[in-house]
Amino acid sequence: MLVPTHHFRDIEREPEYLQPEQCIPPPDAGPVGTMWFIRDGCGIACAIVTWFLVLYAEFVVLFVMLIPSRDYVYSVINGILFNLLAFLALASHCRAMLTDPGAVPKGNATKEFIESLQLKPGQVVYKCPKCCSIKPDRAHHCSVCKRCIRKMDHHCPWVNNCVGENNQKYFVLFTMYIALISLHALIMVGFHFLHCFEEDWTNRLRAFGVTKKETAEPKVSHQEKKQPLKVSSTECSSFSPPTTVILLILLCFEGLLFLIFTSVMFGTQVHSICTDETGIERLKRKHQPREHRGSWKAVEEAFGGAFSLNWFNPFSGPCHPVPLNDEDWVRQVADTNTETETETEEQSEDRKDEDSVEVTDD
C-alpha cells in the first residue's frame, strides 16, 4: 500500500523546524592528523583480544615451531614471512581503529547554516536528530560512535571503529593479512606434526618413561629420570609433549576460525567496493540517486590511486576525500508531489529517523 511520505517524516517549509537552539554548534576543526579514538568498552576489549591472539600466534610459531627446528633456512624464511605479515596486520588494525572513518561535522544543523545553503525549489536537506548534523548523501548514523559516517559500511568491534569512506582500505588490509597469517600458521603446524611426531616426540616420551610397550623398549633407570632432561638439537620443541600439543591445538583452532571469518569479511568488503554499495545500503536496498562509478575506478579510489604496492601498504591512505561543499549537503527532489505519492511504506520506514526541511513552490 502506498502512503504519503510525510506520514513518517515531518516536512516543513521553514528552517526553524530544525530547532537550532537544541543543537550545539560544531567545534572548531582540530589540527591535521588528530587521532580518532572511540571510547567504547566492548570495542576496546575486542581490540585488546585481537592483539593478544596475534601475539599468541607469534609466540607459538617462534618458540614452539621455528626456533627449535633443525632446518635453519626453513626457520629464517618462515620467521621473516610470518613476522612481516603479523606486523602489517597489526599496523592495518591500528590505522583502521585510529582513522576518522568519515564523520560528518556534529551540530552543524543550525538555522544559519541552513539559510546559507540557499535552498532552491525542489531541494531538501536531512538532519540527524541524534547528533544534530545535516546528513549528506550515503551517510548513516552510528549509535556506538555517536556520529553520522559517510559511506558507512558497518561498525566493527574488532577494530573499535566504523568502517567508512576513509578507513575501508585499512580494514580490507587487516582482514587480508589476518587471513594470510592464519593460513601460514596452519600450514606450519601441519608440517610440524608430520616432521616431528614420530622421530623427536617418541624419543621424548621414552625419556619421560611414558610408553605403551615398555617390554619392547629400553627402560629408563630411576637415576636417569631424576637427572635434568637434556634437549638435543634434534628436538622439535623445547616444551614437553603435552604442552606442545595443547599450544598447537589452540593455534589450529584460532587459525581456522579466523581464516574463515576474515576471508568472508575480506570478500564482502571487496564486493562492496567493486559494486560501490555499502553493507547498510545492500541490506536496506536504498537506491538513492548517485553517480555509479565503474568498478575499477571505485577500487582505485578506495586504495589510493592506480595499482601499485601502495595498495598493500597500511601507511599509505586512500584517495584524499574531497571536502564537502554546499551541494553535497542538499539532495535534489525532481518532483516533490510525485515522490510523496509514490514512495512506498518500506522506503518511508527507512527515513523515519531523519528530519528534513524542504523548499517548494508556493
Side-chain angles (χ1 to χ4, degrees):
M1 177 180 178
L2 301 181
V3 295
T5 304
H6 57 77
H7 179 75
F8 290 98
R9 50 190 169 117
D10 298 325
I11 297 180
E12 299 289 342
R13 300 177 185 272
E14 301 298 333
E16 285 81 358
Y17 166 70
L18 295 178
Q19 300 177 351
E21 65 277 2
Q22 297 184 5
C23 294
I24 302 175
D28 296 334
V32 179
T34 302
M35 185 178 68
W36 169 279
F37 183 75
I38 302 300
R39 294 175 178 84
D40 175 60
C42 177
I44 295 174
C46 290
I48 294 175
V49 170
T50 300
W51 275 69
F52 172 78
L53 292 175
V54 174
L55 294 178
Y56 170 78
E58 183 84 14
F59 168 78
V60 176
V61 168
L62 289 180
F63 294 98
V64 177
M65 292 190 288
L66 295 183
I67 292 180
S69 176
R70 294 166 295 177
D71 191 340
Y72 295 103
V73 176
Y74 171 85
S75 299
V76 170
I77 294 176
N78 284 279
I80 293 176
L81 179 60
F82 187 86
N83 280 276
L84 177 61
L85 293 175
F87 171 75
L88 292 174
L90 294 179
S92 301
H93 182 269
C94 287
R95 293 301 302 272
M97 180 172 59
L98 303 178
T99 300
D100 182 352
V104 177
K106 192 174 183 178
N108 65 348
T110 61
K111 178 180 177 181
E112 292 76 12
F113 184 73
I114 297 298
E115 291 177 344
S116 68
L117 296 178
Q118 298 180 354
L119 298 179
K120 299 177 182 179
Q123 290 183 337
V124 63
V125 293
Y126 290 99
K127 179 196 109 174
C128 176
K130 299 176 182 177
C131 61
C132 280
S133 63
I134 296 180
K135 298 176 66 173
D137 190 25
R138 307 185 69 184
H140 302 276
H141 184 85
C142 175
S143 59
V144 179
C145 298
K146 296 180 175 60
R147 297 286 292 273
C148 287
I149 308 297
R150 298 179 60 182
K151 291 182 65 177
M152 174 182 170
D153 187 88
H154 69 287
H155 183 92
C156 178
W158 296 105
V159 298
N160 188 33
N161 202 0
C162 280
V163 178
E165 185 177 49
N166 296 344
N167 68 341
Q168 190 172 27
K169 169 188 174 178
Y170 307 130
F171 184 76
V172 171
L173 292 180
F174 168 66
T175 56
M176 181 184 73
Y177 288 129
I178 289 295
L180 289 177
I181 65 174
S182 299
L183 178 62
H184 189 199
L186 290 173
I187 293 175
M188 285 190 293
V189 169
F191 277 108
H192 193 79
F193 271 110
L194 292 176
H195 181 69
C196 299
F197 183 79
E198 291 186 357
E199 179 182 355
D200 291 318
W201 288 12
T202 300
N203 295 333
R204 196 173 186 84
L205 288 173
R206 288 176 180 175
F208 274 95
V210 182
T211 56
K212 293 183 178 180
K213 300 179 180 179
E214 295 182 355
T215 56
E217 298 177 354
K219 296 183 178 180
V220 182
S221 65
H222 181 70
Q223 294 181 352
E224 290 177 345
K225 290 182 180 180
K226 288 185 176 182
Q227 295 178 356
L229 181 63
K230 298 181 180 180
V231 180
S232 65
S233 59
T234 60
E235 295 292 345
C236 284
S237 176
S238 56
F239 295 90
S240 64
T243 303
T244 302
V245 170
I246 294 174
L247 292 174
L248 292 179
I249 289 178
L250 291 177
L251 180 61
C252 286
F253 178 78
E254 174 192 345
L256 184 61
L257 179 65
F258 280 93
L259 174 62
I260 297 174
F261 176 73
T262 55
S263 297
V264 173
M265 290 302 301
F266 175 78
T268 57
Q269 289 299 302
V270 172
H271 178 267
S272 295
I273 294 175
C274 293
T275 58
D276 192 26
E277 184 181 41
T278 65
I280 294 179
E281 292 168 350
R282 185 168 59 253
L283 290 174
K284 293 186 175 182
R285 292 300 177 188
K286 288 185 177 180
H287 301 289
Q288 301 176 4
R290 65 178 186 270
E291 178 185 358
H292 290 271
R293 299 163 297 180
S295 298
W296 190 249
K297 182 179 179 181
V299 174
E300 289 180 340
E301 289 187 4
F303 285 89
F307 178 78
S308 65
L309 290 178
N310 281 332
W311 278 25
F312 309 98
N313 180 12
F315 300 101
S316 66
C319 290
H320 189 71
V322 179
L324 291 173
N325 52 39
D326 291 349
E327 296 179 356
D328 294 323
W329 300 106
V330 178
R331 308 190 196 183
Q332 186 69 34
V333 180
D335 190 342
T336 306
N337 296 329
T338 303
E339 183 193 19
T340 301
E341 295 175 357
T342 59
E343 186 170 357
T344 64
E345 183 176 358
E346 179 181 0
Q347 292 170 329
S348 300
E349 182 68 19
D350 292 336
R351 291 289 186 196
K352 67 180 180 180
D353 291 333
E354 295 179 350
D355 295 337
S356 66
V357 58
E358 184 179 23
V359 175
T360 57
D361 291 326
D362 293 329

